[in-house]
Amino acid sequence: MLIPKTITGLRRNDHHFTTVVPFQWLLENIISGLVLEDAARDMAEGKAVDKRAAELAPLRAKMQRPFRKQEMERKSVRGEIVVVPKLTPTAKMKNTQGDLRDYLVQQFAVSPEEAFGVLPGFVAVWPETMTETPLPVDLPGMENAWMSYDYGSLGRGAMGDGECRHLSGLLINAASDVPAALKDKLLNQAVTVEVYHGV
């Protein structure tokens, strides 16, 4: 399915709107928090990283806790004991790969036909400003305008909130043990997203 590079939403202010999208939209348009975490670590070590990841990694570091923590491990190398860094999963990562993954597959994906599952709203962030265009939609009782937002030239965004759910969705989509039909159900479930741009 082609994902458009415009999206409609209820304008909150110059930098914030609310929208409802298929879960797949987040997987396509947001860089995983784990990728940005690794990019930040690589940059600190002087390594080259993807340009967009380099732009978003500092922003993500201000908003999120880590998926993995660095610990020192003693190893024997050619008969000598050396201390080397090792990345170990945090409770956040364990939940993403465990209980949260199970919930998305067993409840949220098949809701409401076979189970009951809901997800809290997501928060997505773009440092650049999206181009907004008013739409001729009248919403009685709502002062805010319904807008179309163009983000085609901006690159992908980052998660301000919901990056565990986002990463779990990516892992499920890549998993060989989850049936394709179930993945389709998950990816097409509607989710609410608060989008902040130009921040």
Side-chain angles (χ1 to χ4, degrees):
M1 177 170 81
L2 288 175
I3 305 296
K5 291 301 181 183
T6 60
I7 187 171
T8 60
L10 185 66
R11 186 183 195 275
R12 303 293 190 175
N13 58 47
D14 290 348
H15 303 285
H16 175 203
F17 65 92
T18 303
T19 189
V20 176
V21 294
F23 190 32
Q24 179 180 355
W25 186 88
L26 287 171
L27 304 191
E28 296 283 345
N29 290 287
I30 298 294
I31 297 180
S32 162
L34 182 60
V35 169
L36 296 180
E37 183 177 311
D38 288 343
R41 190 177 293 109
D42 287 344
M43 287 190 295
E45 295 174 2
K47 298 176 182 177
V49 300
D50 173 80
K51 181 177 182 293
R52 186 60 175 170
E55 293 169 350
L56 294 179
L59 180 64
R60 186 262 176 192
K62 295 176 183 177
M63 301 185 290
Q64 299 289 350
R65 292 176 292 112
F67 281 110
R68 296 184 296 188
K69 59 184 177 182
Q70 184 170 290
E71 296 180 345
M72 304 310 289
E73 181 181 49
R74 293 166 63 89
K75 282 189 173 182
S76 176
V77 178
R78 295 180 184 156
E80 291 187 18
I81 300 298
V82 295
V83 178
V84 295
K86 174 186 176 183
L87 293 176
T88 59
T90 61
K92 177 177 178 175
M93 184 62 154
K94 291 175 182 176
N95 178 57
T96 298
Q97 296 174 313
D99 290 344
L100 180 56
R101 180 189 189 277
D102 292 344
Y103 178 81
L104 289 177
V105 171
Q106 298 169 11
Q107 289 189 250
F108 182 66
V110 296
S111 180
E113 294 84 8
E114 301 172 35
F116 179 74
V118 294
L119 285 186
F122 291 81
V123 176
V125 179
W126 272 262
E128 306 88 355
T129 301
M130 295 184 182
T131 303
E132 61 180 24
T133 305
L135 296 175
V137 178
D138 183 27
L139 299 173
M142 299 293 291
E143 296 180 4
N144 305 62
W146 198 256
M147 297 280 191
S148 173
Y149 292 87
D150 187 333
Y151 60 96
S153 63
L154 304 186
R156 290 183 291 169
M159 289 268 72
D161 186 43
E163 71 171 9
C164 292
R165 286 165 271 151
H166 177 263
L167 177 57
S168 194
L170 289 170
L171 296 174
I172 291 166
N173 198 35
S176 59
D177 62 334
V178 179
L182 190 54
K183 290 179 184 179
D184 286 344
K185 285 184 177 181
L186 175 63
L187 295 179
N188 284 299
Q189 286 283 25
V191 294
T192 303
V193 186
E194 301 295 331
V195 178
Y196 290 85
H197 58 110
V199 293

